[in-house]
Amino acid sequence: MTIDSKHTYLSLLCIVFLLLFSLEVGAWEYHSCGATTEHSAQMRFGAEFTKKWNNGLSLSLSEDLRIALAERVTGMTPKHETVDLSYGPDFSKSYTTLALAYAPLEYVKLDMGYTLRILGRKDFSDSDEYLRHRMHIGVTGVYNTHYVKFSLRERVLCDIRTDSVNLLEKQRFSWLLRSRLAAEFYVPGQPIKPYTWVELENTLNATEYQQNNGHQYISQVRTQAGVKWRVSRRSSFDFYYRFQYGYNRDINITKRKAHIELTEETSYEHAIGVTYNFDW
């Protein structure tokens, strides 16, 4: 083979490679996009039982039941189909959490736990459809003044799916970071403590196609205001209102057609709730 023929052969190889690469890149572009908006109102009922020890260690078991009072979803699918769905009172979610906490210092608290999540509007004949598992680990810093207790909590969560998923669309193990800034107010001579907090949730390992312009993104913003009312030495109630903004990038990939559909899902949720707490 002459030098010219070698150059020609290498040039052809380069051209073929570039063509294949361009086809591969083009195959995974977003071919269609949609957007939906959800507005909902909820009632939440909870109970938490906590055993505390003198060395700063505590163990808690809690249940959080969520009932959707009204919900409406509007928007457009990637196939340009109009979405306008309404739901009446319905079971939304149930979270059962077992958590262990330790306070080595008065201004530092460590915690870890497991949550069993039961999701509504799923196929209840298949546990992989409606069951989700969540692990968390976190640290909270506390600063006390005479009338206000400030706290900052950083918590890492891992949501675990047991159903069949396309790993290009979503992760089987989804990692999230939640950052919460809270303020609790002391009322001298009264058994109540008003409080408020705001929390941001960031994705940590969203898939390449879920990322927003190649970056992880804020998936939820929560804010809550309420009053803790102690009715006895061991029992108390927490009455609250919560507003939650959510943003999700739902990906659907059809491998055979090399077609990627992106739906940007935005949600606005209002919830009123009450939680009973028992400590011993």
Side-chain angles (χ1 to χ4, degrees), residues 25-33 78 80 257-262:
V25 172
W28 295 112
E29 292 177 350
Y30 297 133
H31 286 268
S32 54
C33 299
H80 304 291
K257 296 181 179 180
H259 191 88
I260 300 180
E261 297 176 346
L262 166 66

Side-chain angles (χ1 to χ4, degrees), residues 120-131:
R121 300 200 190 106
K122 298 291 184 180
D123 180 7
F124 285 96
S125 64
D126 184 1
S127 61
D128 287 339
E129 285 292 318
Y130 66 87
L131 287 183

Side-chain angles (χ1 to χ4, degrees), residues 183-246:
E184 186 177 85
F185 304 90
Y186 300 107
V187 181
Q190 300 297 326
I192 61 172
K193 290 183 179 179
Y195 71 91
T196 185
W197 54 255
V198 61
E199 182 177 76
L200 300 181
E201 178 183 279
N202 289 76
T203 63
L204 295 178
N205 69 330
T207 66
E208 178 182 353
Y209 306 112
Q210 282 183 306
Q211 294 177 15
N212 191 355
N213 295 320
H215 301 282
Q216 303 296 323
Y217 57 91
I218 295 176
S219 52
Q220 288 187 353
V221 179
R222 300 182 181 90
T223 182
Q224 180 168 310
V227 176
K228 296 179 181 179
W229 175 37
R230 181 158 293 280
V231 295
S232 69
R233 187 169 66 91
R234 299 188 181 275
S235 298
S236 65
F237 287 92
D238 180 6
F239 301 93
Y240 62 88
Y241 163 77
R242 178 183 296 185
F243 171 75
Q244 178 171 305
Y245 163 82

Side-chain angles (χ1 to χ4, degrees), residues 151-164:
S151 63
L152 175 62
R153 189 183 74 185
E154 298 290 342
R155 175 175 286 180
V156 176
L157 302 94
C158 179
D159 286 339
I160 305 169
R161 302 178 65 106
T162 58
D163 57 337
S164 177

